[in-house]
Amino acid sequence: GENVEQHPSTLSVQEGDSAVIKCTYSDSASNYFPWYKQELGKGPQLIIDIRSNVGEKKDQRIAVTLNKTAKHFSLHITETQPEDSAVYFCAASISGYSTLTFGKGTMLLVSP
Amino acid sequence: GAGVSQSPSNKVTEKGKDVELRCDPISGHTALYWYRQRLGQGLEFLIYFQGNSAPDKSGLPSDRFSAERTGESVSTLTIQRTQQEDSAVYLCASSYEVATQYFGPGTRLLVL
């Protein structure tokens, strides 16, 4: 089955800096890669996703890149703000066929 | 429209008692998932329902755990003879077919 590795487990940045979280996956058939943000005391919320037919997707300060050859994908947050502080989870699946396999999460702390 | 809802939001019980946790998925979503999240940890898959297919129970940690779903509607996760190690947040998610999952706020279970 699919295996997703996520790094780093914790990340501390200063407000205004960029943050990058990286994930690798094992199943070359995986074609759907969502990212979730989980704030303290809440359920995970989808923030962005990418499918294997594109290499990059952006939504304001958030972008995700995908390298199918290397089987890794990354979340990029620019101009970080304290409200970006949360745990971020990456996931992978074969869309329409398999359920999501999640990484273990990255705790992002943005200091003012 | 309304998101995934879960009840109760918090549950405190005594060791050995049974508990029932409820999940109301997004209307029209055919798939429903249960996860367990221990404090500071990632998402542990428990069980998955998809339409009329037999549920995938591969993540249930013991026979004290069971879940039911009525059609494409409400699901109940039951934990019998609760143990202290069952203390965690139980998250429910739903999706249309096997695709992007949308999470509820979770039920925080504390077993004394």
Side-chain angles (χ1 to χ4, degrees):
Chain A
E2 177 66 276
N3 182 52
V4 176
E5 300 282 343
Q6 183 171 348
H7 299 280
S9 56
T10 59
L11 179 59
S12 293
V13 300
Q14 293 290 318
E15 183 176 1
D17 288 350
S18 294
V20 181
I21 303 170
K22 299 181 179 181
C23 290
T24 60
Y25 60 99
S26 61
D27 189 344
S28 58
S30 289
N31 59 6
Y32 175 61
F33 308 93
W35 287 88
Y36 289 83
K37 175 184 181 182
Q38 186 177 27
E39 297 177 327
L40 194 63
K42 298 184 178 180
Q45 298 295 308
L46 178 72
I47 56 171
I48 195 168
D49 57 12
I50 190 168
R51 299 183 187 274
S52 60
N53 58 344
V54 297
E56 182 175 3
K57 184 177 179 180
K58 290 187 70 174
D59 182 4
Q60 299 184 342
R61 296 186 296 107
I62 294 173
V64 57
T65 59
L66 171 65
N67 183 325
K68 288 187 292 184
T69 303
K71 291 190 284 188
H72 67 69
F73 56 112
S74 300
L75 178 70
H76 304 252
I77 306 174
T78 59
E79 301 173 22
T80 54
Q81 301 168 4
E83 52 265 38
D84 294 329
S85 295
V87 178
Y88 292 80
F89 292 97
C90 64
S93 75
I94 304 171
S95 182
Y97 179 74
S98 68
T99 61
L100 292 173
T101 299
F102 286 88
K104 293 189 181 301
T106 296
M107 179 178 293
L108 174 64
L109 177 62
V110 181
S111 303
Chain B
V4 177
S5 61
Q6 293 186 243
S7 61
S9 54
N10 295 281
K11 177 72 176 178
V12 180
T13 191
E14 294 180 347
K15 177 182 173 181
K17 295 286 179 67
D18 297 351
V19 295
E20 283 190 354
L21 312 180
R22 177 187 169 107
C23 174
D24 284 87
I26 293 172
S27 178
H29 279 191
T30 57
L32 186 147
Y33 314 77
W34 283 99
Y35 295 87
R36 179 169 68 180
Q37 187 175 34
R38 291 198 164 107
L39 188 63
Q41 302 298 309
L43 302 170
E44 179 185 2
F45 167 77
L46 296 178
I47 189 169
Y48 153 62
F49 297 89
Q50 166 60 16
N52 295 320
S53 302
D56 177 355
K57 304 180 181 180
S58 60
L60 294 179
S62 77
D63 59 8
R64 296 188 296 106
F65 288 72
S66 63
E68 293 183 349
R69 186 181 187 194
T70 307
E72 292 185 352
S73 163
V74 171
S75 175
T76 301
L77 176 69
T78 301
I79 309 174
Q80 296 179 310
R81 305 181 302 281
T82 51
Q83 304 295 313
Q84 289 181 330
E85 61 262 31
D86 299 333
S87 296
V89 176
Y90 290 83
L91 291 161
C92 174
S94 71
S95 68
Y96 179 70
E97 301 298 326
V98 186
T100 305
Q101 294 180 26
Y102 296 90
F103 284 84
T107 293
R108 284 147 193 81
L109 175 65
L110 177 61
V111 182
L112 300 177

